[in-house]
Amino acid sequence: MIKVLHNNVCSKSRSILEHLDENNVAFEIIDFVENPLTAMELKTVLKKLHMPASEVVRKNEPLYKEKFASQELSEDEWIAVLLENPSLIQRPILIKGEIAMIGRPIENVKFFIDN
């Protein structure tokens, strides 16, 4: 089963759920805004993505531009920022076993669920 880190206000995240549903792919929704991740959960996701925290930050968000764009933060500091501001986390993130991906573009999602 695929776990989907989801933010319901995100149209791309909703469209991925729709795609999974239309293709009869079993998935579990984890709304990380309503039910924030713990530090350990976030670190586990980052490890599965093979990315540092700074690479999953939504850099087009006004909050990022206003507060964080000019800062040089460590990995632990970025993790703290993401835990305090889950809306800054790229979405959706799909997790299958020990691997994960940011769910864009849709072609990558199709490859991910088929393999």
Side-chain angles (χ1 to χ4, degrees), residues 1 21 30 33 40 58 61 96 114:
M1 175 177 299
D21 196 40
I30 300 168
V33 174
M40 183 58 70
R58 293 175 52 84
E61 290 289 319
K96 183 169 62 170
D114 289 340

Side-chain angles (χ1 to χ4, degrees), residues 11 13 20 39 41-42 51 54 56 65 70 72 87 90 101:
S11 62
S13 193
L20 295 174
E41 289 170 330
L42 181 55
M51 293 180 176
S54 60
V56 300
K65 291 177 181 178
S70 63
E72 299 254 348
S87 65
Q90 293 282 350
M101 69 163 297

Side-chain angles (χ1 to χ4, degrees), residues 4 14-27 29 109 113:
V4 182
R14 290 191 312 268
S15 70
I16 293 299
L17 294 182
E18 187 176 300
H19 175 77
L20 295 174
D21 196 40
E22 288 172 355
N23 288 279
N24 298 313
V25 176
F27 62 92
I29 298 171
V109 172
I113 62 177

Side-chain angles (χ1 to χ4, degrees), residues 82-94:
L82 293 173
L83 292 173
E84 291 174 26
N85 305 282
S87 65
L88 287 178
I89 299 173
Q90 293 282 350
R91 68 256 183 173
I93 296 175
L94 287 76

Side-chain angles (χ1 to χ4, degrees), residues 62-81:
L63 176 63
Y64 170 81
K65 291 177 181 178
E66 292 166 13
K67 289 182 118 180
F68 305 108
S70 63
Q71 295 190 33
E72 299 254 348
L73 301 177
S74 69
E75 180 72 1
D76 287 339
E77 289 170 326
W78 273 121
I79 287 171
V81 166

